[in-house]
């Protein structure tokens, strides 16, 4: 029993610095808003359109992941410095790729993502039209 208790205490002693480090964010604006409400609104609008790279299903505005906190801080710092949201978005896309944006740009690499759904809808329309406009065969 003493050995189990000693092992548990040793594990907690080594794990404590890791938990403490996670709680201390190096990003000053990760959880703190900008003083200027107009700039904070710009930052918030932009953060809602950027995908968390760790969570993948949440925007950086909604995610509690450490990288999302760093990205929120980065967005707020750049907005406070006077950069436009589109310039910040372009920089993040250049740095992390198109995946970081919920609103991907139409480029030479992404055009199939926009074209394939339209082609599928057209094929479905043609098949349905053909199915429902068939003429009855003679003798029936």
């Amino acid at each position: 029993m003493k050995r189990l208790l000693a092992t548990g205490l040793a594990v907690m002693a080594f794990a404590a610095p890791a938990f403490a480090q996670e709680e201390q964010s190096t990003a000053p604006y990760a959880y703190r808003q900008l003083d200027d409400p107009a700039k904070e609104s710009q930052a918030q609008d932009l953060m809602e359109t950027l995908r968390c790279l760790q969570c993948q299903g949440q925007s950086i505005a909604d995610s509690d992941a450490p990288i999302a906190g760093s990205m929120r801080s980065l967005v707020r710092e750049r907005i406070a410095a006077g950069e436009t949201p589109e310039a910040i978005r372009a920089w993040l896309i250049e740095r992390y790729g198109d995946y970081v944006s919920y609103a991907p740009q139409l480029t030479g690499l992404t055009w199939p993502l926009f074209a394939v759904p339209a082609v599928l809808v057209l094929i479905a329309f043609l098949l349905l039209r053909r199915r429902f406009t068939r003429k009855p065969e003679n003798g029936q």
Side-chain angles (χ1 to χ4, degrees):
M1 183 68 170
K2 288 183 181 179
R3 182 176 288 182
L4 182 62
L5 184 60
T7 304
L9 289 173
V11 168
M12 288 189 336
F14 286 113
F19 289 125
Q21 186 176 11
E22 179 122 354
E23 296 226 356
Q24 292 177 347
S25 178
T26 57
Y29 287 106
Y31 298 100
R32 196 178 87 211
Q33 295 185 350
L34 295 172
D35 294 332
D36 183 355
K39 288 186 177 187
E40 178 60 30
S41 176
Q42 281 183 327
Q44 198 65 326
D45 290 344
L46 177 58
M47 289 185 288
E48 289 173 2
T49 66
L50 297 171
R51 184 186 320 264
C52 174
L53 299 173
Q54 184 175 346
C55 302
Q56 299 178 0
Q58 293 180 306
S59 70
I60 64 170
D62 299 329
S63 175
D64 286 331
I67 191 166
S70 296
M71 290 172 74
R72 282 193 305 271
S73 183
L74 191 142
V75 165
R76 286 183 173 126
E77 288 170 10
R78 288 179 168 238
I79 290 281
E83 282 189 58
T84 66
E86 285 309 312
I88 298 167
R89 177 192 312 283
W91 182 79
L92 287 168
I93 289 172
E94 181 181 320
R95 184 172 183 180
Y96 297 113
D98 285 330
Y99 184 75
V100 76
S101 176
Y102 278 125
Q105 303 294 321
L106 182 60
T107 65
L109 294 174
T110 60
W111 72 265
L113 297 173
F114 293 92
V116 169
V119 170
L120 291 175
V121 167
L122 180 63
I123 290 170
F125 172 75
L126 293 174
L127 289 173
L128 289 172
R129 185 173 147 220
R130 183 175 174 196
R131 168 82 171 114
F132 291 114
T133 59
R134 281 194 178 164
K135 296 178 183 172
E137 294 181 19
N138 293 335
Q140 288 188 17

